[in-house]
Amino acid sequence: MSSSHVLVLNCGSSSLKFAIIDVQSGSEVLSGLAECLAEQQPLIKYKYDGTKQTITLNHGDAHQVAIAQLVELVKKLGLDKHLIAIGHRVVHGGEHFTHSVLITKGVLNAIKQTSTLAPLHNPANLLGIEAAQAAFSSLPQVAVFDTAFHQTMPPQAFLYALPYSLYKEHGIRRYGFHGTSHYYVSTQAHKVLALDQQNSRIVSAHLGNGCSVAAIKNGQSVDTSMGLTPLEGLVMGTRSGDIDPGIFTFLVNQLKYSPTQIDLLLNKQSGLQGISELSNDCRTIEEAAANGHEQAQLALDIFCYRLAKQIAAFAVPLGGLDALIFTGGIGENSNTIRAKVVSGLSFLGLQLDDDKNLAARFGQQGVITTSSKPCAIVIPTNEELVIATDSAAIAQEL
Ligand code: ADP
């Protein structure tokens, strides 16, 4: 076994996703998820050497217990000897971070300061970093930011039409998220489609529980649909995406909602879940719609309409379109949603190939249109590989 392994940690508020990636081969040596960290019975589920296992976690500070248990597992499997770095997914890097960085005291402080912009995510990411630093004190730790790829957006794309002082004094602007995924799939698209890196126009649609699109010109993000927070833009599993901000005032004045209730409504009770009143899960919605559930069908219609509209809008900053990428759980698997979206974009020159669309599922990559330029293509994302590769590169420079 070579010493080219990176432990990738994605520490959320109620879960910890982890993987050990061999950066030489790009393969996943270990992968798993500690979940229900905020609940009574937290678990770690992991996959190693082709088999799946579950560990029940003890009570206590759930994040620390989960990381301690993960460290024990990594040592028991003898994988610690091959680690060269630990890579952490950090949700918000604000304007401080335009690329991945070695975590120093200064970097930790900057991530802490940015917590005001991501009060749910960054503190959880910090817990992961601090626990990993304590457990693997001799290994370099690297932060990879979800926002970094979008730092190339010009002011006309990232500023809101609000008083400028809110941006200057409080950092209220659009940052965008899913940057690691948009970066990975657009880099892959350049390779697979042999696009000219100096002259390419890509729209990347990351469609998972959270959904966002990015306009990528010559390999750089020039606009994206998420904003200050991941709430802006597309319809998502439980998030509303764009709404009239006047609804906020209506909810407060007429319906007496508190800020916490509004936050819950827009982040957890809206989107596919809110419209269908059935589920946030795309598979369930598709199945129900096929069986005649009207609100499930409505949820799909709104999801696809808004997505197609946003993709078409990004032809403006790009000045046209060479490739549309679908990725994320929905983008990689739902041939139904892809067909609906591509049919709404035929005026851009996209024509679906039904057989190719059906074939590109469950991890299969491929072009799904009859033409190659412009084309729509399915590319499975691999954020863990980007985090591992960046971390290894930074560790090797030390
Ligand atoms: P996350 O954003 O949490 O990483 P994923 O990228 O795994 O989420 O995407 C989850 C979404 O993908 C869910 O809505 C799920 O229903 C959807 N999905 C997964 N497989 C399919 C499928 N075969 N058909 C339609 N949707 C699917």
Side-chain angles (χ1 to χ4, degrees):
M1 229 188 279
S2 59
S3 282
S4 57
H5 292 182
V6 175
L7 172 62
V8 175
L9 293 179
N10 178 356
C11 197
S13 55
S14 63
S15 70
L16 167 71
K17 226 173 141 183
F18 57 88
I20 291 183
I21 308 285
D22 180 342
V23 287
Q24 256 164 26
S25 64
S27 61
E28 215 169 53
V29 178
L30 169 77
S31 65
L33 176 71
E35 56 189 354
C36 311
L37 297 184
E39 291 164 32
Q40 281 296 318
Q41 197 56 274
L43 297 170
I44 291 189
K45 291 181 185 162
Y46 69 92
K47 194 169 143 199
Y48 177 68
D49 212 9
T51 53
K52 291 182 181 173
Q53 309 264 8
T54 301
I55 306 171
T56 307
L57 293 176
N58 298 325
H59 290 291
D61 184 330
H63 284 86
Q64 269 155 19
V65 172
I67 292 202
Q69 190 72 57
L70 171 62
V71 172
E72 203 174 297
L73 174 67
V74 169
K75 289 188 174 162
K76 195 177 91 186
L77 297 173
L79 297 172
D80 54 319
K81 296 190 267 305
H82 305 285
L83 289 177
I84 53 169
I86 303 192
H88 298 268
R89 175 184 181 230
V90 179
V91 169
H92 218 308
E95 287 186 335
H96 290 286
F97 300 108
T98 55
H99 45 75
S100 306
V101 289
L102 183 73
I103 299 175
T104 59
K105 274 207 174 115
V107 167
L108 268 182
N109 279 337
I111 297 173
K112 275 181 196 150
Q113 278 169 25
T114 314
S115 291
T116 49
L117 297 173
L120 286 182
H121 296 102
N122 276 24
N125 300 155
L126 282 164
L127 280 178
I129 294 172
E130 280 160 3
Q133 281 180 325
F136 295 103
S137 55
S138 61
L139 286 176
Q141 315 258 339
V142 172
V144 180
F145 300 91
D146 244 24
T147 47
F149 181 58
H150 300 300
Q151 278 297 303
T152 45
M153 287 195 291
Q156 64 180 14
F158 76 65
L159 284 174
Y160 292 111
L162 289 168
Y164 194 67
S165 57
L166 286 175
Y167 164 56
K168 286 316 282 177
E169 288 162 29
H170 302 284
I172 296 181
R173 50 158 282 183
R174 310 181 61 251
Y175 292 93
F177 299 87
H178 292 146
T180 313
S181 177
H182 290 302
Y183 164 76
Y184 175 77
V185 294
S186 60
T187 307
Q188 287 300 108
H190 277 100
K191 285 186 204 157
V192 175
L193 301 170
L195 294 175
D196 178 358
Q197 182 85 28
Q198 306 306 318
N199 187 21
S200 61
R201 303 164 300 177
I202 295 175
V203 175
S204 154
H206 178 106
L207 311 173
N209 284 311
C211 300
S212 72
V213 272
I216 301 161
K217 193 169 190 170
N218 309 338
Q220 295 201 321
S221 174
V222 291
D223 206 344
T224 191
S225 58
M226 284 178 168
L228 175 77
T229 76
L231 187 52
E232 189 178 339
L234 303 174
V235 174
M236 312 184 205
T238 58
R239 296 187 196 126
S240 63
D242 291 341
I243 58 164
D244 177 352
I247 294 173
F248 190 102
T249 321
F250 184 92
L251 291 171
V252 171
N253 290 342
Q254 305 297 324
L255 305 182
K256 310 298 172 206
Y257 272 60
S258 68
T260 309
Q261 285 172 313
I262 293 177
D263 203 51
L264 193 70
L265 179 86
L266 300 180
N267 278 297
K268 301 277 184 215
Q269 299 166 347
S270 298
L272 294 176
Q273 168 72 53
I275 305 160
S276 70
E277 294 183 311
L278 179 70
S279 172
N280 65 317
D281 191 291
C282 186
R283 276 166 297 199
T284 312
I285 305 270
E286 284 189 3
E287 218 175 282
N291 289 324
H293 191 294
E294 283 182 19
Q295 278 175 245
Q297 186 58 56
L298 197 57
L300 286 180
D301 291 346
I302 298 171
F303 182 93
C304 294
Y305 172 70
R306 290 263 298 269
L307 173 57
K309 210 163 70 153
Q310 181 66 77
I311 293 166
F314 278 171
V316 174
L318 295 176
L321 182 73
D322 297 323
L324 164 63
I325 307 170
F326 287 100
T327 195
I330 298 174
E332 291 168 30
N333 297 301
S334 174
N335 53 301
T336 318
I337 286 187
R338 293 191 309 239
K340 229 170 149 48
V341 171
V342 170
S343 79
L345 294 169
S346 55
F347 73 97
L348 284 175
L350 295 173
Q351 214 66 52
L352 195 75
D353 181 317
D354 290 324
D355 293 338
K356 287 182 184 168
N357 185 35
L358 213 54
R361 300 176 73 195
F362 313 127
Q364 285 302 312
Q365 176 171 303
V367 171
I368 58 166
T369 42
T370 51
S371 63
S372 59
K373 209 169 178 184
C375 73
I377 182 169
V378 175
I379 300 183
T381 195
N382 196 343
E383 290 155 281
E384 287 78 15
L385 181 60
V386 176
I387 296 174
T389 310
D390 276 14
S391 304
I394 287 173
Q396 272 149 14
E397 279 169 13
L398 295 176

